[in-house]
Each structure stands twice: as C-alpha cells, then as structure tokens.
C-alpha cells in the first residue's frame, strides 16, 4: 500500500513539470500567434459618420454609428486615408481601436457650431491647462445678466467657501444696458464669464453650451462641475462630502441631477415650452435632469460638446442635454437631494434647493440655517 503510494507520488512529481512545460509552450505558441496578427486590424463592419470642414483629416470629428461602439462620439487619430472620393474611407485609430470611418462628403449632415467671444473671464480660478491647481469642485452659476443682487447674495452665502478645492464662477450672456455694471462687477470679483450672445431665456441652451466649452478649455483639471442657476441655495458641505465619497469610490465619470422620466413635450402652441413635431417627433422626452442644478465631470462634458455639433439647437436646455445623453448612452443618476422646490428648512438633508424669491430671502435663510444645518466648508 505504502509502496503504491510512493510510486503514485513519484509519478505525480514527474508529470507535474511535464504538464507545466506543455502549458508554457502552449502559452508561448498562442501568444506568438496573437502577436503576429496585424496590430491595426480593420473592422470593415464599423462605420463612422465623419465631419470636417477642413481638408486636414487630422482634426476631424466623427460620429460612430456602429452598434458595437458605445462611445458614439470620439475624436480619433487619423493614420491613413484609404481613398479620396465622396465616400472616402478613412482609417482612424485611437490608442486601442482601429475603425474604418466613412467620410460622407455629400454634405447631408448638418453641423451646428457656436462661436461667441468672451467679454470677461475669471482670474485665478483655474489653471487653464488642466494641472493640479484646478479645483476639486467648480460651481458654474448660470446667471441672468440683470441678477447682480443674486450674485452678490451667493458670493456672501453658500458661495463664500474658504476651501481652496472649491471655486465659484458666474456665467452670463450680454445686454448692452448692463455693460458698465458688469465691467465693474468683473473687475471687483474676477469671477465672471461673459459671452457676447444676447442674455435671455431663449438663449439658455447657448449659455449651457458655452459654459461647457469654457470648462473644457479652461478648467479641465477640475474633478466635478456643479452647474447651477442663480436662484438656488446650496449646502456646500453636503455636496462636497458626497463628491469626495464618489471620488474615493472611483466614480470619476458621472452625471447627477434631479432626473425626470416619461415627461412629454408640450404640443400646445400657446405654451412657453411648445415644441413642434418637426423639432422633436417622439411623444415622450428621453430622461433628463433638471437643468438648474446638475453635477458632471469633464470627460462627459467633452463627449457632450462633440455630440452638440450634430444636434439641432433646442431652447429647453435640460431636454437638449437629455437628448444628447441618450445618443451617447450616458446614464443620468437621479439625486432627489437636488430639490426643485425651495425648502431652506430641509437643507440639513438637501444638496440644493430651487427658487428663493429674492436675494434678501437667501441671505436671511442662510443666516437662519447655515450653522444649524452645518452648511459651510
Ligand atoms: C484646420 O486644421 C488645422 C490643423 O488642425 C487647424 O490649425 C485649422 O485651424 C483648421 N481650420 C479650420 C477652419 O477649422
Ligand atoms: C460587431 O458586432 C457584430 C454583431 O454583433 C459582431 O459580429 C462583430 O464581431 C462585432 N465587431 C466588433 C469589432 O466587436
Ligand atoms: C448603455 O450603457 C449601459 C450601462 O450604462 C450598458 O449596459 C448598455 O449596454 C449600453 N448600451 C449600448 C447600446 O451601448
Ligand atoms: C497620432 O498618433 C501618432 C502615433 O501614434 C502620434 O505621433 C501623433 O501625435 C498623434 N496625433 C494626434 C493628433 O493625436
Ligand atoms: C470611391 O473610391 C473607392 C476606391 O477608390 C471606390 O471603390 C468607390 O466606388 C468610390 N466611390 C464613389 C462614390 O466614387
Ligand atoms: C463629389 O461631390 C461634389 C460636390 O458635392 C460633386 O460635384 C461631385 O460630382 C461628387 N463626385 C462623385 C464621384 O460623386
Ligand atoms: C478607443 O475607442 C474604443 C472604442 O470606441 C473605446 O472603447 C476606447 O475607450 C477608446 N480609447 C481611447 C483612449 O480613447
Ligand atoms: C455644406 O453646406 C454648407 C451650407 O449648408 C455650405 O456652406 C458648405 O460649403 C457645404 N460644404 C460642402 C463641402 O459642400
Ligand atoms: C451618406 O449620406 C447619404 C445621404 O444622406 C446617406 O443616404 C448615406 O446613408 C450616408 N452614408 C453613411 C455611411 O453615413
Ligand atoms: C499650467 O499653468 C500653471 C499656472 O498657470 C503654470 O504654472 C504651469 O507652468 C502650466 N503648465 C503647463 C504645462 O503649461
Ligand atoms: C438670443 O435671443 C435673441 C432674442 O430672442 C435673438 O434675437 C438672438 O438671435 C439669440 N441668439 C443670440 C446668439 O444672441
């Protein structure tokens, strides 16, 4: 019995190294087989719609229409032009993927671009080049150019953080009558981004797009961007702590907001929010986040900016964002703590709350609650 066992052991000791050797050899052969494949195998099934107003294919933006690739808009590194007629096939690659893009030069894809000039930009808020000195949390307050008093109240209440990881800027359109006032305000506080489009409700989507553009070019090192309207109260400490916990949990690509699902477009021509079937044909909006208070990251902002080029502008900015997110398969995370109603008495629980009626009310409520509800950081 014992002898048999020893023979068995011996046999085992003999076979294990042989099996191991076979395994090594097999791995080598298989790996070799894989490496000998061309590194840039072209997936003929993968198509992209290409946009460029520029003959240098290097700088083109293209929209992937293949089902395989979830990231539907990417900017890729072009390596080779395969042919040059109206349906040019272009070999484009990023670091990991090679695809064949069909450059559709029939001019059928309408491209929407927005180029406005900055009249004022903030000073010493972001490093402009995406270095570590960009804030962890950047508040971009979409503000009506007239609402100087709201901005003053925000600067003196929830916007007055001494935490160097938090910065505050105001995003404004233009109105000639406000010109001298905005000049003074910008010189004084250096926290104004103003662009030369007319500031009114119908241009709200332009304001959002330009806010995204500014962040993507001047503050791309910031970790979380909080886009908020100028009639909100914020529990700065709560949102800071929440975003810190997301960051630690590696949730570094998010879009948070108060998300509406199943809402319907207004078809009554008398409504402020009337949308024709030409502008939006479905009966239900895609999920969208209330535009007055949302948090997102720079990678998502970049994707959205590319998508906007292919989207007809729509004045309802939150729905416009919802449509872009659906196209890009970006999931919106619902957060009921971005309250759409004004409940300063609930700020021990909420991140933000919408609709203080006057700036005085914000200051008053801040005085009443900011210590009680631990709102300052
Ligand atoms: C065309 O591409 C070049 C190189 O990327 C760029 O410098 C130039 O500004 C582009 N022109 C236009 C009109 O976009
Ligand atoms: C794309 O999807 C098709 C069908 O699902 C599949 O056959 C093909 O291999 C996929 N291509 C890539 C590059 O994943
Ligand atoms: C969209 O994203 C979800 C996860 O966020 C994923 O499960 C799903 O496969 C994606 N759909 C497409 C078409 O890429
Ligand atoms: C494209 O890739 C090549 C090498 O892979 C690199 O040298 C070049 O800088 C890249 N160009 C752009 C515009 O990213
Ligand atoms: C474009 O060029 C390719 C290859 O040169 C050719 O196969 C294709 O038929 C051409 N398409 C058109 C529309 O001319
Ligand atoms: C390519 O497009 C131009 C202008 O859009 C047109 O004049 C020309 O005939 C087209 N060529 C081909 C091969 O389709
Ligand atoms: C390259 O493209 C693939 C497919 O679109 C995408 O999954 C990947 O994230 C891209 N990589 C980079 C570095 O952009
Ligand atoms: C595409 O159409 C626009 C106007 O709709 C025109 O300005 C532009 O020159 C056209 N481009 C080409 C390549 O035909
Ligand atoms: C190119 O444009 C034509 C005209 O709109 C369209 O029928 C065709 O599907 C497009 N091709 C690609 C690959 O997008
Ligand atoms: C980025 O900006 C900071 C501050 O403006 C500057 O000190 C640094 O040299 C810049 N870095 C690069 C790579 O441009
Ligand atoms: C902004 O709104 C005004 C008034 O509705 C309009 O005339 C103007 O064209 C819009 N766009 C810009 C870029 O100012």
């Amino acid at each position: 019995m014992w002898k048999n066992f020893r023979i068995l052991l011996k046999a085992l000791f003999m076979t294990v190294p042989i099996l191991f050797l076979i395994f090594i050899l097999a791995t080598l052969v298989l790996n070799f087989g894989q490496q000998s494949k061309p590194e840039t195998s072209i997936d003929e099934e993968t198509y992209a719609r290409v946009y460029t107003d520029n003959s240098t294919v290097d700088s083109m933006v293209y929209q992937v229409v293949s089902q395989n690739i979830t990231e539907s808009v990417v900017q890729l590194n072009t390596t080779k032009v395969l042919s040059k007629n109206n349906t040019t096939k272009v070999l484009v690659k990023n670091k990991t993927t090679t695809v064949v893009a069909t450059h559709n030069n029939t001019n059928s894809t309408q491209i929407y671009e927005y180029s406005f000039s900055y009249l004022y930009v903030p000073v010493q808020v972001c490093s402009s080049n995406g270095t570590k000195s960009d804030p962890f949390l950047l508040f971009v307050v979409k503000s009506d150019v007239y609402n100087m008093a709201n901005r003053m109240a925000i600067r003196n209440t929830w916007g007055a953080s001494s935490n160097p990881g938090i910065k505050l800027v105001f995003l404004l359109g233009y109105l000639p009558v406000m010109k001298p006032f905005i000049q003074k305000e910008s010189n004084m506080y250096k926290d104004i981004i103003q662009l030369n489009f007319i500031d009114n409700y119908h241009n709200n989507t332009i304001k959002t797009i330009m806010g995204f553009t500014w962040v993507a070019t001047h503050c791309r090192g910031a970790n979380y961007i909080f886009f908020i309207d100028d009639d909100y109260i914020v529990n700065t400490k709560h949102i800071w702590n929440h975003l810190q916990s997301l960051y630690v949990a590696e949730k570094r690509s998010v879009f948070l907001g108060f998300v509406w699902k199943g809402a319907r477009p207004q078809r009554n021509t008398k409504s402020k929010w009337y949308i024709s079937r030409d502008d939006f044909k479905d009966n239900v909006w895609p999920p969208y986040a209330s535009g007055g208070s949302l948090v997102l990251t720079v990678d998502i902002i970049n994707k959205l900016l590319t998508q906007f080029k292919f989207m007809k502008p729509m004045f309802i900015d939150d729905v416009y964002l919802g449509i872009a997110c659906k196209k890009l398969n970006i999931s919106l995370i619902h957060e009921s703590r971005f309250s759409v109603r004004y409940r300063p008495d609930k700020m021990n629980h909420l991140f933000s709350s919408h609709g203080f009626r006057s700036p005085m009310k914000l200051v008053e409520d801040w005085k009443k609650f900011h210590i009680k509800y631990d709102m300052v950081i």
Side-chain angles (χ1 to χ4, degrees):
M1 185 65 195
W2 173 238
K3 197 177 170 190
N4 280 351
F5 186 62
R6 271 178 54 183
I7 289 168
L8 191 72
L9 262 185
K10 209 170 173 181
L12 257 178
F13 275 115
M14 294 283 286
T15 48
V16 165
I18 289 172
L19 281 177
F20 187 66
L21 204 71
I22 290 173
F23 174 76
I24 297 270
L25 277 174
T27 324
L28 274 178
V29 166
L30 284 178
N31 271 352
F32 181 74
Q34 261 174 17
Q35 270 164 14
S36 64
K37 271 188 201 162
E39 202 186 300
T40 55
S41 71
I42 301 166
D43 175 15
E44 292 287 345
E45 299 301 312
T46 310
Y47 290 95
R49 192 180 305 152
V50 178
Y51 157 64
T52 173
D53 60 354
N54 199 325
S55 54
T56 55
V57 274
D58 241 31
S59 60
M60 75 192 175
V61 173
Y62 81 107
Q63 186 173 30
V64 177
V65 290
S66 159
Q67 304 248 314
N68 300 53
I69 295 176
T70 54
E71 197 178 5
S72 62
V73 179
V74 249
Q75 188 139 23
L76 292 190
N77 189 347
T78 311
T79 52
K80 208 192 217 170
V81 177
L82 298 180
S83 67
K84 258 196 171 182
N85 52 25
N86 286 355
T87 53
T88 307
K89 270 188 177 177
V90 188
L91 178 62
V92 283
K93 78 181 230 196
N94 65 11
K95 288 195 183 85
T96 57
T97 321
T98 303
V99 299
V100 175
T102 305
H103 181 173
N104 208 338
N105 216 3
T106 52
N107 212 5
S108 58
T109 311
Q110 173 85 43
I111 298 299
Y112 303 92
E113 285 185 298
Y114 307 86
S115 60
F116 298 102
S117 317
Y118 293 110
L119 303 173
Y120 295 102
V121 289
V123 180
Q124 297 206 323
V125 168
C126 296
S127 70
S128 296
N129 56 16
T131 58
K132 278 187 185 133
S133 55
D134 285 341
F136 176 81
L137 168 59
L138 174 71
F139 285 105
V140 179
V141 183
K142 276 168 57 191
S143 183
D144 185 316
V145 67
Y146 282 123
N147 289 349
M148 290 178 78
N150 290 35
R151 294 193 286 278
M152 231 29 252
I154 290 170
R155 286 186 191 103
N156 288 314
T157 56
W158 60 264
S161 179
S162 58
N163 183 329
I166 299 179
K167 291 281 164 64
L168 172 75
V169 294
F170 293 95
L171 178 62
L172 277 57
Y174 175 74
L175 277 185
V177 64
M178 292 300 290
K179 198 175 167 189
F181 302 100
I182 302 303
Q183 182 183 10
K184 285 211 181 79
E185 192 184 348
S186 176
N187 285 345
M188 181 99 75
Y189 299 103
K190 305 195 188 323
D191 59 1
I192 303 265
I193 308 168
Q194 191 187 32
L195 290 125
N196 65 348
F197 60 85
I198 302 298
D199 197 312
N200 65 27
Y201 180 69
H202 247 79
N203 293 341
N204 210 4
T205 299
I206 294 179
K207 196 178 268 184
T208 301
I209 294 171
M210 294 322 291
F212 280 24
T213 306
W214 185 82
V215 168
T217 47
H218 295 94
C219 207
R220 60 198 163 82
N223 294 90
Y224 296 94
I225 318 294
F226 197 150
F227 281 91
I228 188 158
D229 284 354
D230 65 0
D231 55 352
Y232 274 75
I233 187 168
V234 175
N235 188 324
T236 317
K237 190 164 183 178
H238 274 186
I239 189 66
W240 168 270
N241 288 343
H242 183 63
L243 295 175
Q244 286 287 339
S245 71
L246 289 186
Y247 190 76
V248 169
E250 310 238 328
K251 293 197 173 127
R252 295 174 194 179
S253 177
V254 291
F255 190 136
L256 317 174
F258 190 99
V259 179
W260 300 94
K261 283 186 179 156
R264 288 166 176 276
Q266 184 55 255
R267 301 297 188 193
N268 180 346
T269 48
K270 293 197 181 95
S271 166
K272 180 183 174 187
W273 290 287
Y274 167 73
I275 291 289
S276 72
R277 284 192 186 271
D278 280 347
D279 287 341
F280 188 81
K281 64 176 188 324
D282 297 352
N283 286 324
V284 178
W285 291 130
Y288 66 89
S290 262
S293 176
L294 37 94
V295 172
L296 67 173
T297 48
V298 176
D299 60 321
I300 290 187
I301 287 177
N302 280 325
K303 286 183 194 170
L304 288 168
L305 282 170
T306 315
Q307 180 64 37
F308 295 160
K309 285 197 167 68
F310 303 102
M311 284 172 59
K312 190 173 176 184
M314 176 184 283
F315 73 96
I316 311 176
D317 63 327
D318 33 21
V319 166
Y320 178 81
L321 285 178
I323 295 169
C325 285
K326 189 179 175 196
K327 289 239 169 72
L328 293 166
N329 196 31
I330 291 170
S331 43
L332 305 174
I333 300 169
H334 176 62
E335 188 45 87
S336 59
R337 282 173 285 183
F338 298 118
S339 175
V340 290
R341 290 209 224 114
Y342 192 57
R343 295 305 304 266
D345 55 321
K346 291 270 161 47
M347 290 311 291
N348 57 334
H349 164 69
L350 299 175
F351 294 144
S352 64
S353 177
H354 170 242
F356 59 75
R357 257 168 277 111
S358 76
M360 290 315 292
K361 179 91 171 85
L362 170 63
V363 174
E364 219 172 84
D365 288 334
W366 181 260
K367 275 190 191 144
K368 215 188 302 181
F369 296 116
H370 79 279
I371 294 179
K372 190 174 168 192
Y373 293 155
D374 194 18
M375 292 164 74
V376 185
I377 182 153

